[in-house]
Amino acid sequence: MIRLILVFSFLLLFLILGLPVLFFLWIWEKKNKAAADLASLRIVQWAFKVILFLSGTKITVIGEEKIPKNRAVLYIANHQSYFDILVTYSRCPGLTGYISKDFFKKIPILSIWMKRLHCLFLNRADTKEGLKTILKGIDLIRHGISVCIFPEGTRNEHPQELLPFKDGSFKLSSKTGCPIVPIAITNSCSIFENHLPFIKKAPVILQYGEPILPEELDDEEKKHLGDHTKHIIEQMLAENEQFLKTP
């Protein structure tokens, strides 16, 4: 219970005390948008790292050096916890927008930060709006901003078996030619979801796979890009589950 109180108290303070920071970033953006965007990224990454520290999360990072540093990428990750966003975003080397549920657009202050960080809001019930979101994501990548998607579409309560990947997610790569960076997140559900409403200390493995370049795949792999990426992530998850079980 103490960890839960600490995490939510810090989050509340950050959102309240962050209001003048948002105003300053808004002013700064008019003079130097690139610098303001980078400052927003680093501020939120710092906040996420504090929350992970308060929650007692110990992250083992594997393969981070594989992330291309000189171009935008499409991050594709499995999804089992609300903490997946904190775990992955705190490690992003450059500007990265997440595609999230449009529910978060209704949350005061938080939605402002998300917009500052180039996050996009997806209405899964509206196909037309969903297509617009994908097109906005393509535009972000073409302007050098990476995008992260959890293509299962929702948190998976059975992390040992991934849900089908939504094919629309991969248009951001096929239409731009950007690399796909597969991400396997292991055991993040042990932080919070496995024992609601408590937050508990837990080890988490964050592994980055080799970047996938669509133009280098054969025709069959291009046709089933989602399944190809899903298989790679499943292999990493299987390896890391065994690693966690090793005494």
Side-chain angles (χ1 to χ4, degrees), residues 10-148:
F10 175 81
L11 181 59
L12 184 60
L13 281 173
F14 177 81
L15 291 175
I16 294 173
L17 299 179
L19 282 171
V21 177
L22 282 170
F23 179 72
F24 172 74
L25 289 169
W26 178 70
I27 297 295
W28 192 8
E29 182 181 35
K30 297 181 182 301
K31 296 182 178 180
N32 192 332
K33 179 171 172 41
D37 280 352
L38 185 59
S40 300
L41 169 70
R42 300 308 180 206
I43 289 169
V44 173
Q45 285 183 321
W46 168 80
F48 282 0
K49 288 175 182 177
V50 172
I51 292 174
L52 290 168
F53 172 77
L54 294 175
S55 66
T57 304
K58 182 180 179 181
I59 304 174
T60 299
V61 182
I62 302 172
E64 192 170 31
E65 71 282 355
K66 298 175 182 177
I67 303 174
K69 302 298 190 298
N70 58 348
R71 62 188 300 188
V73 303
L74 174 63
Y75 295 105
I76 295 291
N78 62 303
H79 193 23
Q80 52 181 250
S81 170
Y82 287 118
F83 276 83
D84 293 337
I85 298 169
L86 283 71
V87 169
T88 54
Y89 195 76
S90 63
R91 308 296 307 191
C92 290
L95 298 179
T96 304
Y98 278 57
I99 294 185
S100 64
K101 296 177 181 178
D102 63 346
F103 162 78
F104 291 101
K105 187 165 57 173
K106 304 173 184 176
I107 302 178
I109 308 177
L110 176 61
S111 60
I112 300 175
W113 275 108
M114 293 178 73
K115 290 174 183 177
R116 279 219 56 83
L117 298 169
H118 303 284
C119 290
L120 302 174
F121 302 96
L122 178 63
N123 182 355
R124 295 190 178 91
D126 189 325
T127 304
K128 186 176 180 180
E129 288 300 314
L131 178 58
K132 287 182 180 179
T133 301
I134 295 298
L135 292 175
K136 289 178 182 177
I138 291 172
D139 188 58
L140 284 179
I141 290 175
R142 285 176 174 164
H143 283 82
I145 300 170
S146 297
V147 175
C148 183

Side-chain angles (χ1 to χ4, degrees), residues 213-227:
L213 297 173
E215 68 269 19
E216 295 182 359
L217 300 177
D218 60 38
D219 290 340
E220 191 65 21
E221 289 171 332
K222 288 180 182 177
K223 185 178 179 181
H224 302 286
L225 190 52
D227 289 339

